[in-house]
């Protein structure tokens, strides 16, 4: 576990190579099964309706969605109306290892990046509580991750996230701005058609 210092904020950890290749393959199969039940959808920005370059789905009791009306968590898939599939056991185990003080995760957002997709600088702040960290897993092609401070214009640092890497944004860094500048084509053989999957585990509601 590496603690990364950024703008004096404590709570950003980087765990390179957390999942070995066999675990990445097993996790990928579980995510494919989830996405077969809860298909990827193309979210759009509130108000403008501009599509994200990333496609999304979720697992867990709550899923994050973005449409013309805003960002929110909801218990069912926006197109099928079905509940989201369960969070894979190995992701619940990851949470136990890195976020054991927090109540169980309720949402796992699945982000799928095809070539050219990116994610602008943002804060994860649609949850009702920020006590629990956000835990992220990268699969597939390497991405350039940028993280800054609590203000959009604070200085940022970049580092590369490879397949199997885990990032934890907790403590003072829970609301740090972050984003994905680019995904580096051809850097992983995990996904046969290339691209990148990012999984983010979050607690949405206060503890029961
Ligand atoms: C991504 N990650 O890696 C986007 N959010 O594709 C995130 O937005 C993120 O990596 C909260 C905590 C960790 C993250
Ligand atoms: Fe985020």
């Amino acid at each position: 576990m590496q603690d990364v210092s950024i703008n004096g904020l404590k709570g950003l950890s980087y765990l390179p190579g957390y999942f070995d290749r066999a675990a990445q393959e097993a996790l990928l199969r579980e995510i494919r099964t989830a996405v077969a039940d809860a298909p990827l959808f193309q979210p759009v920005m509130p108000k403008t309706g501009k599509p994200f370059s990333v496609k999304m789905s979720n697992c867990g009791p709550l899923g994050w969605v973005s449409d013309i009306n805003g960002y929110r968590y909801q218990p069912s898939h926006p197109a099928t109306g079905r509940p989201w599939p369960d969070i894979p056991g190995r992701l619940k185990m990851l949470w136990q290892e890195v976020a054991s003080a927090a109540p169980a995760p309720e949402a796992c957002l699945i982000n799928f990046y095809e070539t050219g997709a990116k994610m602008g600088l943002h804060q994860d702040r649609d949850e009702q509580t920020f006590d629990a960290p956000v835990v992220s897993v990268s699969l597939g092609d390497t991405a350039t991750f940028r993280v800054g401070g609590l203000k959009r214009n604070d200085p940022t640092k970049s580092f590369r996230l490879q397949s199997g890497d885990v990032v934890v944004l907790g403590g003072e860094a829970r609301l740090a701005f972050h984003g994905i500048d680019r995904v580096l084509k051809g850097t992983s053989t995990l996904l046969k058609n290339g691209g990148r999957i990012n999984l983010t585990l979050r607690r949405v509601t206060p503890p029961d």
Side-chain angles (χ1 to χ4, degrees):
M1 161 102 81
Q2 272 167 245
D3 293 325
V4 180
S5 135
I6 177 73
N7 293 310
L9 302 176
K10 290 199 175 75
L12 169 60
S13 308
Y14 172 46
L15 294 82
Y18 182 92
F19 289 107
D20 65 16
R21 176 72 184 213
Q24 294 168 39
E25 286 171 358
L27 187 50
L28 180 61
R29 281 194 295 273
E30 291 169 324
I31 295 304
R32 288 203 194 290
T33 303
V35 167
D37 180 48
L40 292 168
F41 57 93
Q42 182 110 58
V44 300
M45 292 294 290
K47 296 191 188 126
T48 64
K50 187 176 181 284
F52 284 50
S53 62
V54 174
K55 294 194 176 77
M56 295 181 175
S57 188
N58 290 273
C59 39
L62 292 171
W64 188 85
V65 301
S66 177
D67 63 17
I68 198 86
N69 299 315
Y71 306 133
R72 66 187 171 278
Y73 283 94
Q74 62 180 48
S76 57
H77 189 285
T80 69
R82 286 196 295 271
W84 305 104
D86 285 341
I87 297 176
R90 72 190 68 240
L91 292 178
K92 292 183 185 166
M93 284 166 63
L94 165 66
W95 183 272
Q96 280 311 311
E97 287 201 24
V98 302
S100 52
E106 295 173 297
C108 175
L109 175 64
I110 302 167
N111 285 143
F112 179 62
Y113 295 72
E114 285 167 305
T115 304
K118 50 194 183 335
M119 188 172 297
L121 214 58
H122 67 276
Q123 291 171 299
D124 285 29
R125 51 176 295 167
D126 299 319
E127 300 71 35
Q128 294 165 29
T129 168
F130 303 132
D131 292 342
V134 180
V135 177
S136 112
V137 182
S138 293
L139 293 175
D141 284 338
T142 301
T144 323
F145 181 71
R146 179 185 294 278
V147 57
L150 303 180
K151 296 197 296 273
R152 181 173 289 278
N153 294 324
D154 285 341
T156 60
K157 249 185 205 184
S158 289
F159 50 100
R160 287 184 172 190
L161 298 182
Q162 294 186 314
S163 195
D165 291 357
V166 167
V167 171
V168 181
L169 279 187
E172 298 169 356
R174 173 62 180 76
L175 290 171
F177 276 90
H178 59 277
I180 294 291
D181 290 342
R182 60 193 227 98
V183 174
L184 308 172
K185 203 180 165 78
T187 45
S188 166
T189 56
L190 187 73
L191 307 183
K192 67 175 183 298
N193 297 320
R196 174 174 182 265
I197 294 170
N198 176 258
L199 309 169
T200 43
L201 294 162
R202 301 103 184 264
R203 179 73 191 190
V204 179
T205 66
D208 313 311

